[in-house]
Amino acid sequence: AQIRVRSYRQYAWPRPLGQWWTLVVLVAGLILGMVGAKANSTPADFYGVIPHGMMAGFFATIAAFVLAALMAGLLRFWRESGESFGSLVNASALKSAITDALTLKYLRGEPRSWFHHLTFYGFVQCFASTTVAAFYHYVLGWRAPYGYLSVPVILGTVGGTALVAGTAGLFLVRQRQDAATRDPAQDGLGTGFIILLFATSASGLLLLAMRETAAMPRLLVVHLAAVLALVVSLPYGKFVHGIYRLAALLRYALERSREN
């Protein structure tokens, strides 16, 4: 547990943010809250709260930085592992690593494995929902909000529900975890990430249910602030363990292939 936290900070880019990610999250959420708090809108008019151009441009900029930070951390990890970048083209090892990661091979039999599955695949479905919604907007010219039976809404609802259940389960499992396997210094890191995921999914579901009411503008601001805080924290919090875990599984698969 202690080694994991050290790895998050060691490979973080820019490295100082590995220590100050909590402050970054709070500031990011505050900025978006201040922007949205001044806007007025009619029910179901999302872009009346925050204009689409501002919302898309702001999040695209943040997403580009986060992606660059994740890639920089992964490259640092891979370079210091002693493996060459040419080994990444080993299709057999890559397939083995991805399969082990997606099936949580080394967590089988553990109660938290089910909650990990719900959380991960719920996250994937929410990401797919956002991707489809972007396709609708930019390619088909269809403006949000979309119908309750539309693909983005169905994906978001299923994914959000899975995220709520998964994160709630992980939180309960953490409370019952054997103290000998925990690092008290990282309790805030792990719990904070779970809470951010829960807040993002729960606020999204609540926004969907109440988008036709007068409460929609405030709910939208709260939801977007939670999303922004989550996205900004991705390269510096518990999320990156999935990135490094996949890379470690790939390295292990490469070692096994050489032995064979």
Side-chain angles (χ1 to χ4, degrees), residues 46-47 52 127-156 211:
F46 294 159
Y47 302 140
H52 179 268
F127 182 79
S129 172
T130 303
T131 303
V132 174
F135 177 80
Y136 279 7
H137 184 91
Y138 290 107
V139 178
L140 301 181
W142 298 347
R143 182 184 173 94
Y146 304 111
Y148 290 106
L149 296 181
S150 64
V151 174
V153 172
I154 292 175
L155 286 173
R211 69 183 187 180

Side-chain angles (χ1 to χ4, degrees), residues 56-78:
F58 187 71
F59 274 92
T61 302
I62 296 296
F65 169 79
V66 167
L67 182 60
L70 287 171
M71 289 301 300
L74 180 59
L75 292 176
R76 280 179 175 175
F77 175 87
W78 196 255

Side-chain angles (χ1 to χ4, degrees), residues 224-248:
L224 292 180
V227 171
L228 178 61
L230 174 66
V231 171
V232 171
S233 72
L234 293 183
Y236 312 110
K238 192 62 180 291
F239 175 83
V240 295
H241 89 277
I243 305 291
Y244 298 144
R245 180 62 172 165
L246 177 59

Side-chain angles (χ1 to χ4, degrees), residues 79-90:
R79 183 174 60 249
E80 294 183 19
S81 73
E83 291 286 350
S84 68
F85 292 108
S87 61
L88 293 173
V89 299
N90 188 317

Side-chain angles (χ1 to χ4, degrees), residues 3-140:
I3 289 172
R4 277 189 172 187
V5 174
R6 286 202 301 270
S7 70
Y8 303 158
R9 294 172 179 168
Q10 176 182 353
Y11 301 118
W13 180 88
R15 191 158 288 172
L17 293 184
Q19 301 284 348
W20 297 98
W21 73 275
T22 303
L23 178 61
V24 173
V25 166
L26 293 176
V27 170
L30 180 62
I31 290 174
L32 185 58
M34 291 172 64
V35 170
K38 298 179 180 180
N40 296 313
S41 174
T42 57
D45 182 14
F46 294 159
Y47 302 140
V49 181
I50 301 178
H52 179 268
M54 177 187 295
M55 190 188 306
F58 187 71
F59 274 92
T61 302
I62 296 296
F65 169 79
V66 167
L67 182 60
L70 287 171
M71 289 301 300
L74 180 59
L75 292 176
R76 280 179 175 175
F77 175 87
W78 196 255
R79 183 174 60 249
E80 294 183 19
S81 73
E83 291 286 350
S84 68
F85 292 108
S87 61
L88 293 173
V89 299
N90 188 317
S92 176
L94 189 59
K95 177 183 177 181
S96 175
I98 292 176
T99 301
D100 290 349
L102 294 180
T103 60
L104 294 178
K105 177 179 179 179
Y106 297 103
L107 270 183
R108 287 176 186 167
E110 299 239 9
R112 61 187 172 132
S113 65
W114 293 104
F115 299 123
H116 267 284
H117 275 303
L118 284 171
T119 301
F120 173 73
Y121 288 108
F123 184 89
V124 169
Q125 285 182 300
C126 288
F127 182 79
S129 172
T130 303
T131 303
V132 174
F135 177 80
Y136 279 7
H137 184 91
Y138 290 107
V139 178
L140 301 181

